[in-house]
Structure formats: C-alpha cells, structure tokens
C-alpha cells in the first residue's frame, strides 16, 4: 500500500471513530512530516517503512528540527498509533514487523516551570496599561485571559473551546471539556466571578450579538489554538522573561504550584487539574516538596504520641 493511501485510510478510520478535529490535526502534523521524510529517503510504500527509518526520522526531529525529547516522544506516540492500526486492524504488519513496536521513548528532563509573582504582575500591568490607554478589545481579552488561566488551571484546548453557556455565574461553576472530550465542573472563585461579570459586560457592549465563545477574535469568532499561541509569543517579546516559557501550560503549572505551596491536599489538586492518573499530580508534589514537608510536620501521626 502506498504510504499516501495509508494516511488517507488512517484518517478515515479516525474520523469514523469520532476523534476530535484538534487531535486529528495533531496526528497529521507528525504523519505528514514523516511522509515527506520517507519520500526523501525513497520510501513510497507503507510495508517498506522499517524500524531504521522511524528511528532516523526521530533523530532528525531531535537534531535537525531541534525538537526537545518531549516533542520527539509525542511524535513517536503518534507513529505507534498509526502503525499499530495497520498491524491490528489491517494486518499489514505483525508484532515482529511493526517498525515502532521495539522503539522506546526518549528520557525526558523533568522540569516544570512556573511564573513568579513579579512576572504575573508584569503581564497584568502590561495589559492594564493598554486597557486604560485605549480600551482595546485585545488588551482586555489578554488581561482577563491571564486571570482566567491562573484561577482555572485550564489547558489551551479547554480555554479556546470554552463557551459562555459553560459559565454558570450564579452557581459559580465552569464546565470545561478536556482530553478525550470529558466534561468536568470547576468551582469559580469569588474573584474570578467578579472578573467574569466585568468581562462579560465588556463583551456585550462591544458586539452586536453575544459571541458563543468566551475567548474570540475582534469579529467575535472563536479564537484558534494558533492565535492563542501567537498571543503568548507576542507577550513573551514584550516581557523578555528569562528561563520560563510563556504558554498556557506554564499558567497551569503555576496554578498547581500556588495551590500546593498554600497547603492544598493532593486529592483537590488532582481534581482541579483534572488528572486522570494521580501519578502526574504526584510529580508536582515531588518537585515542590516544601509544602508537602510542612503538611507532614503538621499532621504526622507521631505528633500526638507520647514517645
């Protein structure tokens, strides 16, 4: 089977399985890149894809494209899904001939970056100055976005897909749709409710018809993943932060960090961050163990024993 036909077959199968457009787009960013790499190495057929070809592609991503180990692992994960489909469903490969079966994931550096108080204030002050100077939609949206991300710990996809119908200001609950299209309810802090009310009023006065989505462009259309990334890229240029990535996920890490340092228990942190597996939550506690040590000292069973 020609590799280009295999890609079309895989796409049809994922669409049939109702994979989200965002996930499908992510798959094909890698698969199309791999396809181009295979052609350059004169590999046209799916059956001719070998373990050596896949490994050389991953090395190319790391050395030539400067992808970090996390990104390389993400690409390998996509390729495993792709080739496993043609092994299990189409029976083109066996466990022995599947080119990804024996390729392990690269070791990743465990580093979770967070913003300092000064950096958060610097970002808010930047948008606040713009807001008071010319009251532009861009400035107010950016200002509210930072507050929302810090308070909700939402992922990028959850943020761009948030509708006004998902925001219950009366009961102070936000419903977000996360990974695997799983809906979760998040409590809304009083301060966030106040900001939501003000931002909603601002949006209502700037659009003839209330937009469906909370975060939009100037025409009221849903903001895209890429547009939000570009917003962070522009903000990074203005802030000139050192040793910290300016992204939605860094806000998420920062929210987790603040909760843990304030003494929040692991179960609550897991629920707020919507981790399906507590092992990811434990990584945060392992990194920021000061708060954990303080809680252990406070609640340790030995404290009440006369020994």
């Amino acid at each position: 089977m020609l590799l280009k036909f295999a890609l079309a077959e895989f796409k049809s199968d994922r669409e049939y399985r109702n994979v989200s457009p965002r996930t499908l787009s992510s798959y094909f960013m890698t698969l199309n890149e791999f396809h181009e790499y295979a052609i350059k190495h004169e590999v046209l057929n799916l059956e001719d894809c070998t373990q050596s070809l896949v490994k050389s592609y991953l090395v190319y991503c790391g050395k030539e494209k400067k992808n970090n180990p996390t990104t390389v692992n993400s690409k390998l994960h996509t390729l495993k899904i792709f080739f496993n489909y043609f092994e299990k469903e189409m029976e083109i490969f066996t466990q022995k001939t599947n080119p990804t079966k024996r390729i392990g994931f690269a070791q990743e550096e465990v580093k979770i970056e967070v913003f300092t108080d000064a950096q958060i204030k610097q970002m808010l002050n930047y948008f606040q100055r713009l807001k008071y100077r010319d009251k532009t939609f861009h400035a107010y949206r950016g200002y509210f976005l930072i507050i929302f991300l810090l308070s909700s710990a939402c992922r990028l996809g959850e943020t761009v897909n948030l509708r006004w119908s998902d925001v219950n200001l009366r009961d102070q609950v936000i419903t977000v749709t996360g990974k695997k299209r799983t809906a979760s309810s998040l409590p809304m802090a009083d301060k966030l409710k106040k900001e939501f009310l003000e931002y909603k009023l601002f949006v209502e006065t700037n659009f003839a018809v209330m937009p469906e989505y909370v975060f939009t462009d100037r025409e009221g259309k849903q903001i895209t993943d890429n547009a939000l990334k570009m917003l962070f890229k522009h903000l990074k240029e203005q802030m000139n932060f050192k040793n910290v990535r300016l992204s939605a996920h860094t806000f998420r890490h920062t929210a987790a960090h603040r909760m843990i340092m304030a003494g929040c228990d692991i179960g609550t942190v897991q629920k707020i961050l919507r981790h399906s597996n507590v092992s990811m939550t434990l990584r945060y506690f392992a990194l920021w163990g000061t708060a954990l040590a303080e809680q252990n000292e406070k609640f340790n069973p030995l404290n009440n024993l006369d020994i």
Side-chain angles (χ1 to χ4, degrees):
M1 179 186 289
L2 284 173
L3 188 52
K4 67 185 300 181
F5 294 160
L7 293 176
E9 163 64 28
F10 179 74
K11 184 177 182 181
S12 295
D13 177 77
R14 297 301 112 164
E15 289 174 340
Y16 170 74
R17 293 170 188 254
N18 199 28
V19 170
S20 72
R22 189 167 182 265
T23 299
L24 197 62
S25 175
S26 175
Y27 283 164
F28 275 85
M29 283 182 64
T30 295
L31 293 175
N32 289 333
E33 184 180 76
F34 176 72
H35 185 203
E36 292 177 6
Y37 183 85
I39 291 173
K40 288 180 181 178
H41 288 75
E42 300 181 349
V43 175
L44 297 177
N45 295 314
L46 177 69
E47 297 89 338
D48 294 332
C49 292
T50 62
Q51 184 183 85
S52 177
L53 177 71
V54 174
K55 277 188 175 180
S56 66
Y57 163 71
L58 296 172
V59 170
Y60 158 78
C61 290
K63 291 187 175 180
E64 301 298 324
K65 295 187 67 67
K66 307 300 182 184
N67 292 160
N68 60 36
T70 300
T71 301
V72 173
N73 282 342
S74 178
K75 291 181 175 182
L76 174 57
H77 177 68
T78 296
L79 290 173
K80 281 180 177 288
I81 292 172
F82 176 71
F83 283 105
N84 284 347
Y85 168 71
F86 287 98
E87 174 197 331
K88 297 176 182 177
E89 304 293 333
M90 306 295 287
E91 298 183 349
I92 290 178
F93 296 102
T94 65
Q95 284 198 355
K96 289 185 177 181
T97 60
N98 183 331
T100 61
K101 192 63 84 176
R102 292 178 177 80
I103 300 179
F105 291 101
Q107 185 173 354
E108 299 179 24
E109 180 183 0
V110 179
K111 182 180 180 182
I112 301 179
E113 302 168 335
V114 299
F115 295 119
T116 64
D117 284 356
Q119 289 170 334
I120 293 170
K121 290 177 180 177
Q122 186 178 336
M123 287 184 283
L124 289 173
N125 288 339
Y126 167 74
F127 284 119
Q128 201 165 25
R129 287 194 301 270
L130 290 178
K131 186 172 66 172
Y132 288 137
R133 187 171 69 232
D134 51 20
K135 298 182 180 179
T136 63
F137 172 75
H138 167 80
Y140 207 145
R141 183 190 63 186
Y143 178 86
F144 178 70
L145 175 66
I146 290 173
I147 292 174
F148 171 77
L149 290 173
L150 284 172
S151 182
S152 67
C154 279
R155 301 177 177 92
L156 186 143
E158 295 168 341
T159 301
V160 300
N161 288 319
L162 185 69
R163 294 173 167 86
W164 282 109
S165 59
D166 299 324
V167 181
N168 186 333
L169 292 169
R170 185 190 66 183
D171 297 331
Q172 296 186 214
V173 174
I174 304 170
T175 302
V176 296
T177 304
K179 292 182 176 180
K180 299 180 181 178
R181 301 186 184 180
T182 303
S184 303
S185 294
L186 291 176
M188 184 191 304
D190 290 340
K191 286 187 177 181
L192 182 57
K193 177 183 177 179
K194 181 181 177 182
E195 293 292 342
F196 251 118
L197 286 168
E198 187 175 353
Y199 181 68
K200 186 177 183 182
L201 179 61
F202 178 83
V203 172
E204 288 172 339
T205 57
N206 277 269
F207 293 100
V209 178
M210 188 67 178
E212 179 182 1
Y213 292 90
V214 174
F215 296 101
T216 68
D217 60 18
R218 287 186 176 89
E219 281 70 49
K221 297 178 182 178
Q222 179 187 15
I223 193 171
T224 64
D225 289 19
N226 189 56
L228 196 55
K229 290 176 182 178
M230 291 303 294
L231 187 157
F232 289 132
K233 183 178 180 181
H234 172 75
L235 184 59
K236 179 183 178 181
E237 293 171 354
Q238 300 297 318
M239 298 297 99
N240 194 31
F241 292 157
K242 305 295 183 184
N243 302 321
V244 63
R245 189 165 66 102
L246 216 163
S247 69
H249 230 69
T250 305
F251 284 101
R252 182 171 165 83
H253 294 327
T254 303
H257 176 256
R258 298 308 170 96
M259 285 189 286
I260 292 171
M261 297 307 290
C264 189
D265 64 273
I266 190 168
T268 300
V269 174
Q270 182 186 5
K271 289 179 181 178
I272 294 294
L273 296 180
R274 300 168 303 288
H275 287 154
S276 58
N277 192 315
V278 74
S279 60
M280 182 62 216
T281 318
L282 286 170
R283 287 177 62 185
Y284 288 123
F285 277 84
L287 284 170
W288 303 312
T290 302
L292 190 61
E294 291 173 354
Q295 291 298 298
N296 179 57
E297 185 66 30
K298 183 178 179 180
F299 298 111
N300 195 280
L302 295 181
N303 289 348
N304 297 321
L305 293 177
D306 187 17
I307 57 175

